Amino acid sequence: MGPRGARFGPRAIRAASARQSKARGFNARRGLNPYISPYTILDCGDIPITPFDNALALRQMSEAFLELGSRAPALSEGDNPKPKLLTLGGDHSIALPALRALNKIYGGPIAVLHFDAHLDTWHPAKYPSSWESAQSDFNHGSMFWIASNEGLILNGSSAHAGLRTRLSGDDWEDFIDDDRQGFLRISSDDIDDMGTKGIIDAIVKRIGLNTPTYLSIDIDVIDPGLYQCPGTGTPEPGGWTSRELIKIIRGLEDLNVVGADIVEVAPAYDGTGEQTALTAAQLGFEILTSWVGRGISRRKNGGGNEAETIADVGDYGSERDEL
């Protein structure tokens, strides 16, 4: 197996996060250190999956997500607390097994907040091939279409942000299908008129603060130029800066995010400064900070005496590195 693709993304993000520690983890913008709090952050290592059989790999990931997400938290107090899984990737198709697990854990569909240059709600037929294969239907551009048709995504309460993709054919069929799946679309260009605050407000209005939500960040939402994030398989010019995305993520702390991923980091295409992996590691730190910050705020305000385990999971290999 060569180094192409995103299979080594988790390893690169872990390496880029080496400076994150209890001793130097205080997040000045939020006034807390996520590694020193009532919450336990664990690196669960990588889910061991086969690289040779997509169907088996999907089953392995689905079972692993369900097992991890169903475990009792490290601390037992709270109103039915559940672990929160932050997955590092890796191919974006990992969102499908994560959503299947969350559907069983929470007993219903989950809202999806999807940061990406691309829709990823494409019908599998939009990836034409002379040789049809059921396994090829499951890929990094169709996983939300599959999840939507399985009833895993909360129709009407989900959103894309940072879009700048080209569409199939010569009409709006891709957008029409995306509308059917219930997604709000926020384009990359919208930030020029709305600003980061406008983007945050639109997302909160769409999803609400109490809806269980899956946060999925494809690193290609960030522009590949200007020494930003070239290390991804499908770069698209005209994206947001890392500063803009981090600002938006910080502004969404009050959302009820029950699981998240940071995906499509492809180290083979990264710059010499490994800036894509560094950005992904920072985004992970911001997500952990927001999870801990929301929990602490709810405890102080009597909104639930939560005590949750926050776990970090990679999707390839067997190494057990510290985040």
Side-chain angles (χ1 to χ4, degrees), residues 164 219-236 240-242 245 264-265 269-271 275-280 283:
R164 53 193 187 279
I219 204 68
D220 70 23
V221 72
I222 299 175
D223 195 89
L226 298 175
Y227 204 69
Q228 290 285 319
C229 287
T232 190
T234 50
E236 300 284 358
W240 291 341
T241 66
S242 57
L245 179 58
E264 296 294 343
V265 175
Y269 308 124
D270 211 353
Q275 60 269 32
T276 308
L278 285 168
T279 300
L283 288 167

Side-chain angles (χ1 to χ4, degrees), residues 66-226:
L66 182 59
E67 178 184 340
L68 291 170
S70 300
R71 290 181 178 181
L75 299 177
S76 60
E77 64 185 48
D79 300 326
N80 192 31
K82 299 177 176 66
K84 296 179 186 291
L85 301 182
L86 170 59
T87 311
L88 309 178
D91 194 271
H92 206 163
S93 57
I94 63 175
L96 177 59
L99 286 169
R100 284 177 173 175
L102 288 170
N103 179 267
K104 293 181 179 178
I105 293 167
Y106 286 88
I110 302 293
V112 170
L113 174 54
H114 176 219
F115 289 92
D116 201 321
H118 311 94
L119 290 170
D120 291 354
T121 54
W122 278 297
H123 190 290
K126 294 301 178 72
Y127 292 85
S129 173
S130 300
W131 296 273
E132 294 184 2
S133 165
Q135 288 194 30
S136 67
D137 286 351
F138 169 53
N139 57 65
H140 70 167
S142 67
M143 70 285 176
F144 288 136
W145 183 91
I146 296 172
S148 177
N149 281 273
E150 290 182 4
L152 307 179
I153 297 177
L154 194 59
N155 194 310
S157 296
S158 297
H160 305 291
L163 294 174
R164 53 193 187 279
T165 185
R166 290 170 295 279
L167 303 180
S168 307
D170 60 355
D171 59 18
W172 303 99
E173 184 179 354
D174 290 344
F175 278 177
I176 293 171
D177 197 13
D178 190 67
D179 288 339
R180 180 188 62 80
Q181 297 173 58
F183 279 85
L184 169 72
R185 290 185 296 276
I186 300 173
S187 75
S188 179
D189 291 345
D190 286 336
I191 202 168
D192 296 330
D193 300 319
M194 301 170 67
T196 55
K197 186 179 185 305
I199 301 292
I200 293 167
D201 291 344
I203 291 171
V204 171
K205 181 179 179 181
R206 178 69 169 189
I207 296 176
L209 298 180
N210 297 316
T211 306
T213 302
Y214 185 75
L215 170 62
S216 185
I217 302 177
D218 187 323
I219 204 68
D220 70 23
V221 72
I222 299 175
D223 195 89
L226 298 175

Side-chain angles (χ1 to χ4, degrees), residues 257-306:
V257 176
V258 297
D261 65 46
I262 305 168
V263 296
E264 296 294 343
V265 175
Y269 308 124
D270 211 353
T272 55
E274 300 177 344
Q275 60 269 32
T276 308
L278 285 168
T279 300
Q282 181 64 32
L283 288 167
F285 178 67
E286 298 295 343
I287 292 171
L288 294 176
T289 299
S290 292
W291 273 344
V292 171
R294 184 179 189 272
I296 291 175
S297 295
R298 285 172 60 83
R299 288 162 66 97
K300 288 181 178 179
N301 297 328
N305 193 22
E306 297 177 336

Side-chain angles (χ1 to χ4, degrees), residues 7-11 14 43-49 64 68 87-89 312-321:
R7 66 187 301 258
F8 293 115
R11 183 182 302 176
R14 283 194 174 99
D43 186 341
C44 298
D46 296 339
I47 298 173
I49 62 174
L68 291 170
T87 311
L88 309 178
D312 166 70
V313 187
D315 69 325
Y316 268 105
S318 58
E319 295 190 6
R320 299 295 188 268
D321 298 327

